[in-house]
């Protein structure tokens, strides 16, 4: 079996490929490539500078080989602002590059520390590990929405599309958690105790981080989602034959095939809506789709690291007012003119120095 995704526009990508056969162990190869990014040809022509997305084409080959490609909106280990900068613009300051490097180093250290703890406690207990992982993984989206609501309440700026996408992400992660509970991942009190206390600490840490630097918070979530992808990818390779013999989770069947899939499409900001419709016939399909969901979260978190870059995949020429009339749907009612703030310190500064502006015409 081979599955590959190819972006219609040139964009940075990370490709993970492996081959397997029924008589030999899987071999694993990793390679990366990067190039310039362009916008998919959907939505209003007035919003070319507001949106970045990659149209995805999938091909399936009936061979004993599989390929999984996780597209990255930006090249790893670089500043998103640097990648998004036009050639005519001056490079980022040395101080900004240093700050980004420090932010990412802290995030990687924190992620690696948590991974070591999970590896020690759950090296041979897959479902409890997944339960803990999913309990933790959905927390950042609650934190993001909390801070976004706070900013809106203070009258600083409004991000309706961010709120909608982050809710869709939390909705997706919640169903991952329900699946793990259905599989018995929360059966032992210690696993529930550990997951709930880590999640509580993680929530307040993410709120604080997001208030100071949304870029840092989004990068940290990208690291977490990247680890989740790798964990599920490894699991389905090792347990493929076993998983294909197990009936699918009832929660998974309902979520992926029976419910309204608007929210399912909404968190996949690098895809055009209705282009991914999962097949759920056994537990292998369930975990395959959970793994692919984590890859989509990773792309969205990568895109969010450039302030104002996120757009709902359902935004289109019919539903969004042209930018020449109103800045965009998520800016309606925004008090701050011009460039928006990126953290609480920047918001306070701009709310003091810039007078309120009413965007609603009588």
């Amino acid at each position: 079996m081979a599955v590959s995704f190819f972006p219609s526009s040139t964009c940075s990508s990370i490709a993970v490929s492996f081959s397997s056969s029924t008589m030999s162990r899987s071999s694993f190869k990793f390679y990366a490539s990067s190039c310039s990014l362009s916008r998919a040809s959907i939505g209003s022509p007035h919003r070319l500078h507001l949106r970045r997305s990659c149209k995805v084409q999938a091909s399936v080959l009936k061979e004993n080989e599989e390929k999984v490609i996780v597209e990255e909106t930006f090249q790893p280990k670089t500043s998103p602002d640097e990648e998004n900068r036009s050639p005519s613009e001056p490079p980022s300051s040395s101080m900004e590059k240093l700050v980004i490097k420090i932010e990412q180093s802290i995030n990687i250290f924190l992620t690696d520390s948590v991974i070591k703890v999970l590896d020690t406690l759950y090296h041979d207990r897959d479902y409890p590990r997944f339960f803990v992982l999913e309990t933790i993984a959905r927390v950042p989206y609650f934190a993001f929405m909390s801070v976004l609501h706070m900013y809106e309440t203070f009258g600083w700026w409004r991000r309706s599309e961010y709120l909608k996408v982050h809710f869709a992400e939390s909705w997706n992660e919640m169903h991952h958690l329900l699946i793990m509970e259905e599989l018995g991942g929360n059966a032992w009190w210690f696993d529930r105790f550990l997951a709930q206390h880590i999640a509580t600490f993680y929530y307040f840490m993410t709120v604080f981080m997001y208030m100071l630097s949304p870029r840092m918070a989004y990068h940290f979530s990208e690291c977490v989602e990247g680890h989740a992808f790798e964990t599920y990818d490894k699991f389905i390779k090792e347990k493929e034959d076993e998983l294909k013999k197990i009936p699918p989770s009832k929660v998974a069947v309902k979520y992926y095939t029976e419910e309204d899939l608007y929210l399912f499409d909404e968190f996949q900001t690098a895809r055009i809506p209705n282009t991914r419709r999962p097949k759920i016939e056994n537990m292998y399909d369930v975990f395959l789709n959970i793994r692919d969901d984590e890859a989509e979260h990773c792309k969205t978190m990568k895109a969010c690291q450039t302030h104002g870059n996120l757009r709902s995949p359902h935004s289109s020429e019919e539903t969004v007012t042209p930018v020449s009339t109103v800045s965009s749907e998520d800016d309606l009612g925004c008090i701050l003119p011009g460039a928006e703030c990126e953290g609480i310190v920047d918001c306070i500064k701009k709310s003091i120095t810039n007078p309120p502006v009413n965007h609603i015409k009588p």
Side-chain angles (χ1 to χ4, degrees):
M1 170 72 70
V3 181
S4 62
F5 300 87
F6 305 93
S8 60
S9 61
T10 57
C11 62
S12 299
S13 64
I14 291 180
V16 180
S17 67
F18 52 87
S19 59
S20 62
S21 63
T22 58
M23 300 299 294
S24 62
R25 293 180 61 86
S26 299
S27 60
F28 181 89
K29 295 185 294 182
F30 176 89
Y31 54 93
S33 62
S34 63
C35 44
S36 60
L37 177 68
S38 63
R39 180 185 180 275
S41 58
I42 59 173
S44 169
H46 299 283
R47 305 177 64 215
L48 293 177
H49 67 291
L50 292 177
R51 186 168 185 172
R52 285 165 174 72
S53 60
C54 295
K55 184 177 179 181
V56 178
Q57 179 182 3
S59 60
V60 179
L61 304 177
K62 297 181 178 179
E63 302 286 345
N64 289 326
E65 180 185 354
E66 295 187 3
K67 178 184 284 186
V68 179
I69 296 181
V70 183
E71 296 170 279
E72 297 283 0
T73 307
F74 304 100
Q75 184 179 3
K77 305 298 182 181
T78 61
S79 163
D81 293 329
E82 185 75 13
E83 290 290 331
N84 197 37
R85 177 177 53 83
S86 65
S88 60
E89 294 176 347
S92 301
S93 65
S94 299
M95 180 61 68
E96 183 181 3
K97 292 180 180 179
L98 178 61
V99 169
I100 293 173
K101 184 176 181 181
I102 293 174
E103 290 176 352
Q104 294 187 353
S105 298
I106 294 174
N107 289 339
I108 293 172
F109 171 77
L110 292 175
T111 306
D112 289 344
S113 299
V114 174
I115 291 173
K116 290 179 181 179
V117 173
L118 295 179
D119 287 343
T120 301
L121 296 175
Y122 298 99
H123 66 279
D124 58 350
R125 302 174 59 229
D126 293 320
Y127 293 158
R129 180 190 181 106
F130 297 154
F131 167 77
V132 173
L133 190 61
E134 294 299 345
T135 302
I136 297 172
R138 68 187 191 134
V139 167
Y141 308 119
F142 301 152
F144 299 158
M145 289 188 289
S146 297
V147 178
L148 290 171
H149 277 297
M150 183 192 70
Y151 284 168
E152 185 173 336
T153 301
F154 288 174
W156 283 336
W157 46 274
R158 178 174 297 161
R159 280 289 180 186
S160 62
E161 292 199 24
Y162 275 62
L163 288 171
K164 185 168 66 168
V165 170
H166 291 333
F167 176 78
E169 289 179 295
S170 69
W171 187 255
N172 175 259
E173 296 287 12
M174 182 192 73
H175 282 84
H176 291 178
L177 180 61
L178 293 176
I179 292 170
M180 300 313 156
E181 291 178 349
E182 184 180 355
L183 295 173
N186 64 333
W188 192 24
W189 71 268
F190 175 79
D191 298 323
R192 299 193 301 272
F193 179 89
L194 181 66
Q196 292 164 0
H197 283 75
I198 292 178
T200 301
F201 173 80
Y202 187 24
Y203 171 80
F204 288 104
M205 185 193 76
T206 305
V207 166
F208 177 75
M209 187 184 295
Y210 195 68
M211 290 170 63
L212 292 180
S213 173
R215 177 184 58 210
M216 182 179 183
Y218 284 130
H219 179 262
F220 189 78
S221 293
E222 181 197 351
C223 294
V224 173
E225 298 293 0
H227 170 67
F229 172 87
E230 294 172 358
T231 301
Y232 287 120
D233 187 60
K234 179 181 179 181
F235 175 72
I236 62 178
K237 301 307 177 293
E238 295 177 349
K239 306 287 186 178
E240 178 177 355
D241 294 337
E242 177 183 340
L243 292 172
K244 286 183 177 179
K245 298 176 182 179
I246 304 175
S249 159
K250 294 180 181 179
V251 173
V253 172
K254 183 177 181 181
Y255 173 67
Y256 286 110
T257 65
E258 296 179 2
E259 293 185 346
D260 183 352
L261 296 181
Y262 180 91
L263 287 176
F264 177 72
D265 290 330
E266 183 66 23
F267 79 90
Q268 303 179 74
T269 56
R271 286 182 176 269
I272 298 174
N274 302 314
T275 57
R276 181 187 168 204
R277 288 297 176 261
K279 176 189 71 172
I280 304 295
E281 295 180 352
N282 47 52
M283 284 306 300
Y284 176 80
D285 293 335
V286 173
F287 280 101
L288 190 69
N289 281 285
I290 292 176
R291 182 203 66 181
D292 293 346
D293 289 347
E294 305 298 355
E296 296 298 332
H297 286 300
C298 220
K299 300 174 197 176
T300 299
M301 291 296 95
K302 193 71 174 180
C304 286
Q305 291 171 49
T306 296
H307 184 69
N309 192 46
L310 183 68
R311 286 297 179 273
S312 163
H314 288 98
S315 298
S316 64
E317 187 174 0
E318 291 76 19
T319 60
V320 179
T321 306
V323 70
S324 58
T325 304
V326 179
S327 58
S328 73
E329 179 190 1
D330 55 72
D331 292 331
L332 291 175
C334 177
I335 291 180
L336 293 178
E340 295 173 348
C341 53
E342 296 195 30
I344 190 168
V345 175
D346 197 24
C347 282
I348 293 174
K349 182 184 69 175
K350 290 183 178 179
S351 65
I352 294 174
T353 57
N354 295 324
V357 174
N358 186 4
H359 289 276
I360 302 177
K361 296 181 180 181

